[in-house]
Amino acid sequence: MVEFNKKVVKQLSSLPTEMDEHGKTLWYYAWKRLKKNKLAISSLVLLMIIVVLVIVGPLFSKYEFDFIDWEYMSIPPDFATGHYFGTDMMGRDLFVRILYGGRISLMVGVLATLVSLIIGVIYGSIAGYMGGKVDSVMMRIVDILYALPFMFLVIMLMVVFGQHLFLIFAAIGGYIWLDMARIVRGQTLSLKGQEFIESAIAIGASTPRIIFKHIIPNLMGVVIVYITLTIPQVILVESFLSFLGLGVQEPFTSWGALVNEGAQDMEIAPWSLIFPAGFLAVTLFCFNFIGDGLRDALDPKDN
């Protein structure tokens, strides 16, 4: 009995430490686990540096992104002339063009992902929760759209409406949401049988309230992880389109367009390929490492 009391006292003495963290949310613990992932945190810091650089970096250069320096055409990196990354075959400063291109590539990635987020989450959660014939019809529509070749759709849109930046957002976002819808539907199917959903139904909550107040908020962990993996996918798709000449048009540019230009001049001016390809590759790696870190941090099985 004495030994039992000693064990109880020992356990009670540890309660204040454990209760200090009482009431913390899932995001608090997820952030604690994420901070232990040095690769993910390093990628997050590096990505923030890149974002700040593409926003304010051009202010530290005396050249505009479309300015042609006739005296310094296709020169290697030269700090004396202010061409930190050198110039392309037309004498345009690569440092400024890469940063402006980064703005467009990141903007396309974020906005197209936002389109896929809004459509995919709402569509997938409705299909998963309603079930039955509604689910079957909605997912068959997704299957039909999946069967259509993406590049063919983009080319047709470009031919009909022209090559506008907004059209790139719409075209990529209007296709990427299909993956989001499938993932959200699967998660919704596993959630709708939970006790808190049954309780909401029992007290008379409407279907829209259950979907938007109970199901979608509980899907945000999975959605956030998928967003970090979708943004680099969208950036890569935009880069591929620009590489084929279907993306951003002159005088504007993107990392994909710069890689295309650099690939044509790599034998004469290798720096015109190395720098934009380097920025593109590092950004994609950062997003993927952050996504992997968030997936591990938000996985309750790893707790």
Side-chain angles (χ1 to χ4, degrees), residues 81-186:
T81 60
H83 296 297
Y84 307 127
F85 290 171
T87 60
D88 61 12
M89 298 296 289
M90 297 181 63
R92 295 174 298 188
D93 184 70
L94 273 177
F95 174 76
V96 175
R97 286 183 66 77
I98 288 173
L99 298 185
Y100 270 99
R103 291 181 181 179
I104 292 180
S105 292
L106 291 173
M107 184 168 59
V108 170
V110 172
L111 293 182
T113 301
L114 184 61
V115 171
S116 73
L117 172 66
I118 295 173
I119 300 175
V121 169
I122 295 175
Y123 192 95
S125 59
I126 292 174
Y129 180 74
M130 298 302 294
K133 293 183 179 180
V134 175
D135 180 34
S136 298
V137 171
M138 293 179 72
M139 296 316 295
R140 293 301 76 75
I141 293 174
V142 170
D143 292 338
I144 292 171
L145 294 176
Y146 252 122
L148 299 176
F150 171 68
M151 289 305 302
F152 175 77
L153 288 176
V154 172
I155 293 172
M156 289 298 297
L157 288 172
M158 297 297 179
V159 171
V160 174
F161 297 104
Q163 293 175 282
H164 300 292
L165 189 59
F166 176 77
L167 187 60
I168 298 175
F169 299 150
I172 300 176
Y175 187 83
I176 296 294
W177 73 269
L178 300 175
D179 293 325
M180 182 74 77
R182 282 187 166 182
I183 292 174
V184 170
R185 172 187 174 268

Side-chain angles (χ1 to χ4, degrees), residues 204-253:
S206 63
T207 297
R209 180 176 180 82
I210 292 174
I211 292 175
F212 289 97
K213 295 292 185 180
H214 298 285
I215 291 180
I216 292 180
N218 282 280
L219 295 174
M220 291 314 296
V222 175
V223 170
I224 289 174
V225 172
Y226 190 73
I227 286 174
T228 60
L229 300 177
T230 302
I231 293 177
Q233 180 184 359
V234 173
I235 293 175
L236 197 58
V237 169
E238 185 278 327
S239 300
F240 179 66
L241 293 175
S242 297
F243 190 84
L244 295 179
L246 299 173
V248 180
Q249 300 299 305
E250 295 285 358
F252 300 103
T253 189

Side-chain angles (χ1 to χ4, degrees), residues 4 48 61 72 101 110-112 155 161 230 237 268 283 289:
F4 175 77
M48 292 175 62
S61 176
Y72 300 102
V110 172
L111 293 182
I155 293 172
F161 297 104
T230 302
V237 169
I268 302 173
T283 302
F289 289 143

